[in-house]
Amino acid sequence: MARPFYVTTPIYYVNDAPHIGHAYTSVAADALARWRRLWGDDVVFLTGTDEHGLKVQRAAEAQGLGPQELVDRHSAHYREMGELLELSNTDFIRTTEARHRTAVQQFLQAVHDHGDIELGTYQGLYCVACEAYYTADELIEGERCPIHERPVEHVTEENYFFALSRYQDRLLEHYAQHPEAVQPQARLNEVLGFIRQGLRDFSMSRKSISWGIPLPWDPEHVTYVWFDALFNYCTGVGYGEDRARFDRYWPVDYHLVGKDILRFHAVYWPAMLMAAGEAPPRCVFAHGWLTVGGEKMSKTKLNAIAPAQLVEEFGADGYRYHFLRDQQFGPDGDFSYEAMVARYNADLANNFGNLANRVLTMAVAYGDGVAPGARAEGPLVAASRAALSGLEQGMDRLDFAGGFGAIWDLIHAANAFIEDRQPWALRKAGDAEAAAAVLGDCLEVLRIVAVLASPLIPGACGELWRRLGLPGRPEDERLPDGVEWGRMPAGVRLEKGAPLFPRIEA
Ligand code: MSP
């Protein structure tokens, strides 16, 4: 039976329109999901929208809409973003769905029965944009939230509290045994530092708002939006509905998140799971922020870039390529349109596009449209094996830039091989056999590249596969056999086609 693999993105707040910061996590999760499928894993890839809470309730009031109407409208934009970027998610969850309400209520009851939820009074400072409480020393000047730089609100109300403080030792013990459970390493240190400072119980219900999931034992309260939102990851694999399915995929392999929500995922969430008797996530991987002109994108700063703007110009593949190869997944990175154009032209139009174009053009012309087939051994065999192992090493660490870079090393090697052997000169000199051998090797490289790069640029790889005269799709191949040298069949019909990546003039 195929090995289960489960990856998630955060679920996105519906009050904001999708921008390239949101799409960033989604594209990374998609590349990982597609990569694991190449290995034959049974992949669940979950994304969706976070639809409860004060922020949404207020946005709806401000726009004169009912909250459901507002969330229906905005959730659709995230679904469309997924289609635009060719995400291969297997599910799209909305926290207003009935399956989620049922699952959350069951989970809340389990935590309550365990004795970890108690009634108390909350007095404190709240940032509506974060949907999070702050202590005074965490704020920046003027009682403003450090993330949104907007004033926090003073709140006093009767709340239920989750007994997070009881989990301090268990969390430390968990991370001592599983240091790989928070990545990159620097983020683990941050999490440990926070836990060691001492954990405080946190409020997990609201009496003052109505837009949320009622507590099963006290329906005058709704569940705090983060408590509800985090649980989407369990709803998505059948919690409360299908225990066997849940046990198959849980604990999740990767939660990919931005660094701003690391604490929720690496401190609150594992403790909540422990309280309900469930296992904590195998890995929470936090990436940095994507900035524009050095600043985090936001609605208030009006610097948000919609993915659609870039996809229109670069295509879904060009888009995915930039964010996975030009940006390091981990640290912050600044978005630059000029850098995106330069890299697109250099790597996709020139290196990759040219290799495909010149090899197919010559092979079609010299062989009457019929592929010559690869030799059993050849100078590019070692380079093609190195591409697979480099990609594997990169993907194991979620180093997409480095991993996919290994494929471009192979592309460079093939281009250099052509320059060196000059098949056109061989043919002119009457050695058609030698020219066919060079082209056969290069066609084999193209086939291997189409498989390995399919998690990164699925559209172009599918089209290349078709032009190579191969049946099915590159993503149907299985690793490592699928990229074994010598599988390119002789005698299939090739097609030259238009450039895969037309040059872009900035
Ligand atoms: N709804 C919560 C997540 C709940 S998960 C159980 C939330 N939503 S969000 O829409 O504000 O952010 C979702 C994700 O997008 C987060 O991982 C966040 O870090 C990411 N990004 C939002 N803006 C970003 C950038 N400018 N750059 C990179 N990622 C950013 O938080």
Side-chain angles (χ1 to χ4, degrees):
M1 203 175 180
R3 200 175 71 154
F5 181 83
Y6 183 23
V7 58
T8 67
T9 73
I11 48 172
Y12 302 101
Y13 284 133
V14 281
N15 63 314
D16 217 354
H19 59 59
I20 58 176
H22 304 122
Y24 186 51
T25 326
S26 291
V27 164
D30 184 60
L32 185 59
R34 288 175 182 270
W35 166 248
R36 292 310 324 171
R37 283 191 199 106
L38 282 179
W39 287 93
D41 287 2
D42 161 22
V43 174
V44 172
F45 166 20
L46 182 69
T47 186
T49 44
D50 188 353
E51 309 190 353
H52 289 130
L54 189 53
K55 192 158 38 171
V56 169
Q57 187 174 314
R58 284 198 186 156
E61 281 159 12
Q63 294 175 41
L65 297 171
Q68 190 65 49
E69 203 181 336
L70 178 99
V71 299
D72 287 348
R73 214 177 269 186
H74 287 269
S75 175
H77 298 150
Y78 282 91
R79 219 182 258 274
E80 285 155 17
M81 174 185 93
E83 283 158 21
L84 185 76
L85 300 173
E86 291 178 26
L87 301 187
S88 63
N89 52 299
T90 51
D91 195 353
F92 186 98
I93 190 165
R94 300 183 52 191
T95 54
T96 50
E97 287 173 63
R99 61 169 169 164
H100 184 61
R101 171 189 283 249
T102 311
V104 167
Q105 288 189 326
Q106 253 189 52
F107 164 71
L108 288 168
Q109 195 62 56
V111 179
H112 192 245
D113 292 349
H114 194 249
D116 283 330
I117 293 179
E118 285 162 5
L119 197 59
T121 303
Y122 188 82
Q123 236 183 342
L125 308 160
Y126 194 71
C127 168
V128 181
C130 294
E131 294 278 15
Y133 287 113
Y134 281 94
T135 53
D137 58 324
E138 288 172 321
L139 300 178
I140 58 172
E141 215 189 293
E143 288 209 323
R144 287 174 308 139
C145 143
I147 293 180
H148 297 89
E149 300 174 14
R150 279 197 253 166
V152 294
E153 299 181 15
H154 286 257
V155 190
T156 308
E157 68 172 21
E158 180 191 75
N159 280 180
Y160 283 93
F161 283 76
F162 172 65
L164 182 66
S165 57
R166 290 181 201 158
Y167 288 87
Q168 180 158 341
D169 293 340
R170 282 187 62 187
L171 285 170
L172 290 173
E173 200 178 305
H174 169 65
Y175 287 126
Q177 278 166 14
H178 300 282
E180 75 291 350
V182 176
Q183 289 180 45
Q185 166 85 41
R187 300 284 173 212
L188 174 64
N189 299 339
E190 215 177 288
V191 166
L192 293 177
F194 179 74
I195 300 173
R196 287 193 187 115
Q197 270 178 24
L199 297 178
R200 304 195 324 173
D201 297 348
F202 71 88
S203 148
M204 54 69 64
S205 77
R206 295 288 180 278
K207 211 171 173 176
S208 54
I209 77 168
S210 54
W211 187 237
I213 299 179
L215 301 184
W217 64 89
D218 187 349
E220 280 193 13
H221 287 249
V222 297
T223 314
Y224 169 44
V225 61
W226 266 101
F227 219 85
D228 149 2
L230 286 162
F231 204 71
N232 90 85
Y233 302 131
C234 290
T235 308
V237 285
Y239 186 96
E241 205 173 64
D242 181 348
R243 187 71 210 188
R245 177 157 191 267
F246 180 73
D247 287 338
R248 176 163 169 74
Y249 298 103
W250 198 263
V252 63
D253 292 278
Y254 282 104
H255 284 319
L256 304 192
V257 301
K259 65 178 184 182
D260 50 332
I261 56 174
L262 174 62
R263 204 178 279 182
F264 287 102
H265 284 81
V267 181
Y268 294 16
W269 179 225
M272 287 160 58
L273 286 161
M274 288 171 182
E278 307 296 349
R282 284 188 217 279
C283 181
V284 175
F285 192 106
H287 62 73
W289 280 344
L290 206 55
T291 54
V292 174
E295 290 207 69
K296 187 172 187 251
M297 268 168 292
S298 76
K299 204 155 66 171
T300 33
K301 285 183 187 135
L302 292 174
N303 62 350
I305 300 172
Q309 276 171 275
L310 296 173
V311 170
E312 198 181 324
E313 190 166 355
F314 296 89
D317 285 335
Y319 183 98
R320 296 168 61 104
Y321 186 84
H322 172 74
F323 288 101
L324 289 169
R325 266 221 77 201
D326 242 4
Q327 303 285 348
Q328 291 288 334
F329 199 68
D332 290 348
D334 202 43
F335 173 76
S336 144
Y337 173 79
E338 290 72 23
M340 184 170 180
V341 172
R343 195 67 185 262
Y344 171 98
N345 283 334
D347 290 4
L348 295 175
N350 288 351
N351 287 319
F352 180 54
N354 270 354
L355 179 68
N357 194 46
R358 71 211 289 213
V359 168
L360 282 168
T361 303
M362 282 188 277
V364 165
Y366 301 175
D368 232 355
V370 174
R375 293 175 290 186
E377 273 303 319
L380 292 172
V381 180
S384 81
R385 292 203 181 117
L388 174 62
S389 68
L391 179 57
E392 248 185 292
Q393 281 168 34
M395 294 304 271
D396 281 349
R397 290 180 282 122
L398 303 200
D399 170 13
F400 300 106
F404 289 119
I407 305 174
W408 263 257
D409 293 343
L410 172 60
I411 291 171
H412 284 295
N415 274 323
F417 177 62
I418 295 177
E419 292 303 327
D420 181 55
R421 301 298 160 92
Q422 307 203 343
W424 54 92
L426 291 170
R427 187 176 153 87
K428 209 165 171 191
D431 196 347
E433 208 176 310
V438 171
L439 293 173
D441 285 358
C442 290
L443 286 166
E444 175 62 345
V445 166
L446 286 176
R447 189 192 69 81
I448 291 170
V449 167
V451 176
L452 294 180
S454 65
L456 174 66
I457 46 171
C461 291
E463 174 58 14
L464 177 58
W465 195 256
R466 197 189 61 74
R467 291 182 190 181
L468 289 171
L470 298 167
R473 304 170 312 159
E475 50 263 52
D476 298 332
E477 295 297 302
R478 287 295 161 261
L479 296 177
D481 303 2
V483 295
E484 187 98 329
W485 184 271
R487 293 198 152 203
M488 176 71 200
V492 292
R493 190 144 282 283
L494 304 171
E495 186 186 312
K496 179 172 154 308
L500 285 171
F501 292 99
R503 275 190 73 82
I504 290 178
E505 302 308 330

